[in-house]
Amino acid sequence: MQLVESGGRLVQAGDSLRLSCVASGGTFSDYAWGWFRQAPGKAREFVAAISWQPGKTQYVDSVKGRFTVSRENAKSTAYLQMNSLKFEDTAVYYCAAGSYGDYESAYYYWGQGTQVTVSS
């Protein structure tokens, strides 16, 4: 399965941004979907995940209340709505498909990443 992220760009602190991840070549609804990010000089970290089970999501503490993960099975698309963006949210954001969890090894397929830059 191939994943393609989009929506990353340069924004100002306090702005909102929505990332999209479109899947092809597989059955979108069979998988849980995760979002990870990697800031310059840092390891990739978990951001959010949404299960194939309705309403089941999880977030890293630093984005709780600001980010919302969602999915639209009919469009084979996962979303990450990011509000009240902070400078420290600057990173390359990756979507991934696999089992539900907050660790990289839970996911089998990865996108190429999309850059989000937040200016302070």
Side-chain angles (χ1 to χ4, degrees), residues 49-58 69 100:
I50 183 165
S51 173
W52 56 87
Q53 298 171 297
K56 189 173 181 180
T57 59
Q58 59 177 323
V69 60
Y100 184 66

Side-chain angles (χ1 to χ4, degrees), residues 15-27:
D15 284 353
S16 296
L17 201 59
R18 188 176 79 163
L19 305 183
S20 300
C21 174
V22 179
S24 61
T27 305

